[in-house]
Amino acid sequence: MTDLTRTFAALSDPTRLTMVERLMAQGELPAGALVAGFRISAPAVSRHLRVLREAGLIHQRAAGTHRYYAVRPEAMQSIARWTMDHRSFWEGSLERLDNLLALNPDTMDTA
Amino acid sequence: MTDLTRTFAALSDPTRLTMVERLMAQGELPAGALVAGFRISAPAVSRHLRVLREAGLIHQRAAGTHRYYAVRPEAMQSIARWTMDHRSFWEGSLERLDNLLALNPDTMDTA
DNA sequence: TCGTTATTTAACGCAACAGTTAATTAAAGT
DNA sequence: ACTTTAATTAACTGTTGCGTTAAATAACGA
């Protein structure tokens, strides 16, 4: 399993995808705050966080009894880089996407 | 399971990710050509192609006994759109993370 | 110290996944 | 019509993934 397939696997679960989106939107959050947002048990959330952490998607910071989680930008960048690496394949019908996003993919940093 | 999680699930298998990459690089290919590139059996390849097709990642064209497969650009675009939707989170933040790591290595999880 | 809070780990059940070989469908070639 | 080729579906097996509840770990406050 490559790093990228592990990243995709981590994001293939709806709960985990939502977690990552919430962490990106709201910034660093403790595990408990994430538990509150889902109907699954705390241990289930903890396991999801572990999967995300082991896939390199999030990072953990301990403070007292709390564990704060945040998305690692590098993980998102590796996905962006992969899509951009194959841009020439799908850019043919990109106009619609460009119009929707009003962005220029050429400005993306691929370092 | 949302469309996007299904897309990520389809790409979470190394064989399928490689298939998609080969189809993007080489264009439309018959199933047999893909079988040749892997050590798994033809039925296994066929199943992978079905998963990719049901996830909307590839499209099938029948010609005689051959089934030609090709990546659907829209699938790649939906990934690109998701990453771009969260671009403000990850763009240009690589240096910041590196600085954090250099300053507080013990706060960083190394799993 | 003791009980409470935050979070993870342990143990277990069940559904889904990926691989195999055997059988099936379907189009071509002879 | 018969055989070969291309590909899929069927049936079975071992593994992985996600959920649960119960137990463990660790820091906090009284």
Side-chain angles (χ1 to χ4, degrees):
Chain A
M1 183 110 111
T2 92
D3 286 346
L4 196 57
T5 56
R6 207 180 308 272
T7 300
F8 286 144
L11 296 175
S12 71
D13 179 272
T15 300
R16 286 196 295 267
L17 182 66
T18 303
M19 281 174 170
V20 166
E21 287 175 337
R22 276 182 59 190
L23 286 171
M24 284 195 288
Q26 304 176 27
E28 195 182 47
L29 288 175
L34 289 163
V35 169
F38 300 97
R39 293 197 188 139
I40 58 180
S41 65
V45 167
S46 184
R47 279 179 64 108
H48 280 305
L49 289 169
R50 173 191 255 267
V51 171
L52 288 170
R53 184 166 46 80
E54 286 177 353
L57 264 137
I58 60 175
H59 109 275
Q60 191 190 53
R61 178 177 68 88
T65 61
H66 297 260
R67 303 277 156 79
Y68 289 89
Y69 290 94
V71 175
R72 296 183 58 199
E74 297 141 301
M76 292 295 294
Q77 286 172 355
S78 71
I79 299 173
R81 195 172 302 125
W82 183 74
T83 61
M84 290 307 158
D85 281 349
H86 298 92
R87 184 175 72 229
S88 62
F89 172 79
W90 52 266
E91 73 184 347
S93 27
L94 182 60
E95 287 126 52
R96 224 174 50 204
L97 187 66
D98 266 340
N99 290 341
L100 183 62
L101 296 175
L103 61 82
N104 180 0
D106 288 338
T107 63
M108 217 198 79
D109 186 84
T110 53
Chain B
M1 185 108 115
T2 85
D3 286 348
L4 195 57
T5 55
R6 210 182 309 273
T7 300
F8 285 144
L11 296 174
S12 70
D13 180 272
T15 300
R16 287 196 295 265
L17 181 66
T18 303
M19 281 176 170
V20 166
E21 287 175 337
R22 276 182 58 191
L23 287 172
M24 284 194 288
Q26 304 176 27
E28 196 182 46
L29 289 174
L34 288 162
V35 169
F38 300 97
R39 294 201 186 137
I40 58 179
S41 64
V45 167
S46 185
R47 278 178 65 102
H48 280 304
L49 288 169
R50 172 190 259 268
V51 171
L52 287 170
R53 185 164 45 79
E54 287 177 352
L57 263 136
I58 60 175
H59 141 268
Q60 190 190 53
R61 178 177 69 88
T65 62
H66 296 260
R67 304 278 154 80
Y68 289 89
Y69 290 94
V71 175
R72 296 184 57 211
E74 307 85 43
M76 291 295 292
Q77 285 171 15
S78 70
I79 299 173
R81 187 189 306 117
W82 184 74
T83 60
M84 290 307 166
D85 281 350
H86 298 92
R87 187 179 183 179
S88 62
F89 172 79
W90 53 263
E91 70 177 347
S93 43
L94 191 55
E95 299 92 332
R96 254 184 286 146
L97 188 64
D98 283 344
N99 290 341
L100 177 68
L101 282 168
L103 287 173
N104 308 323
D106 51 317
T107 63
M108 185 58 212
D109 181 76
T110 53

